[in-house]
Amino acid sequence: MVDVREARLRDGIVDAARALTIATGWDGVRMGAVAATAGVSRQTVYNEFGTKAGLAEALARREVDRFVSEVRAALTAHGDDLRAATYAAIRHTLASAADNPLVKAILTSSRGGSEELLPYLTTRSDLVLAEASAALIEWAERHLTGADPAALAFAADSVVRLVISHIVLPQAPVDDTAEALTRLAVRLFGAAVAPSS
């Protein structure tokens, strides 16, 4: 059973790290400043997260969990309408990322030379890929009758990778990108549905 006080302590520290990252960029975040902002000792921060990398991972995990929860809700709201569900999920993710001050801070920091936090959303993105792909696969398994599991997994993974790419390096307005990615997603998921024999 999760200790409520322990969970609150960790949440408070992650909240402090998030606020400092938004204000100064991840490079400017110091464990002592996180501790002071959270109202705990520096040693407490180290006891809870081990290292700054451990804190970065916890910060990334919380953002990913929030995003994935919102993706699940967007998919569920559209039942078995493949196009509407994928569009809603993709557009919401792109728009939320564009407006998310933490994501902006991560991307801005990385363009200025910092690559400490960005990898948790990109190159070390097992967390993002696994969680977001799982949300798509769960929805598709419920609504796409006869889908081939391997093709479904490939479709979900591909869509998530493309969305991440457009979050990191946007090239067009959110609506246009969401529309284009939705067309591709519909084809990928459609191809995963096994032909009836």
Side-chain angles (χ1 to χ4, degrees):
M1 186 175 199
V2 176
D3 182 341
V4 174
R5 282 182 297 187
E6 181 78 13
R8 282 190 193 138
L9 174 66
R10 289 180 67 85
D11 283 346
I13 294 169
V14 173
D15 287 343
R18 186 181 197 277
L20 289 168
T21 301
I22 291 167
T24 66
W26 184 248
D27 274 355
V29 173
R30 300 290 174 260
M31 297 295 259
V34 171
T37 303
V40 298
S41 72
R42 192 168 181 263
Q43 188 58 49
T44 298
V45 176
Y46 279 105
N47 289 346
E48 290 298 320
F49 299 99
T51 63
K52 189 177 176 187
L55 182 57
E57 189 168 349
L59 181 57
R61 171 162 278 289
R62 189 165 72 180
E63 289 300 304
V64 169
D65 287 348
R66 187 181 61 74
F67 269 106
V68 171
S69 174
E70 292 170 357
V71 165
R72 285 182 201 280
L75 290 166
T76 301
H78 294 280
D80 63 358
D81 185 334
L82 174 60
R83 191 196 179 291
T86 54
Y87 178 80
I90 291 168
R91 191 196 179 288
H92 175 79
T93 301
L94 292 171
S96 293
D99 291 336
N100 184 306
L102 179 62
V103 172
K104 285 180 183 175
I106 293 168
L107 297 177
T108 302
S109 293
S110 78
R111 289 179 188 135
S114 168
E115 296 190 357
E116 287 188 58
L117 198 52
L118 182 63
Y120 288 99
L121 301 177
T122 56
T123 57
R124 280 189 258 159
S125 61
D126 290 349
L127 170 65
V128 177
L129 293 173
E131 298 287 333
S133 294
L136 284 171
I137 291 167
E138 287 167 18
W139 174 85
E141 286 175 341
R142 281 195 309 273
H143 299 288
L144 300 180
T145 308
D148 173 63
L152 203 57
F154 177 79
D157 181 74
S158 297
V159 170
V160 171
R161 288 176 189 272
L162 287 168
V163 171
I164 291 170
S165 174
H166 283 276
I167 288 170
V168 175
L169 292 170
Q171 293 184 328
V174 165
D175 289 338
D176 295 347
T177 302
E179 186 61 45
L181 289 176
T182 297
R183 285 195 298 270
L184 191 54
V186 167
R187 288 186 186 135
L188 286 168
F189 282 111
V193 178
S196 45
S197 39

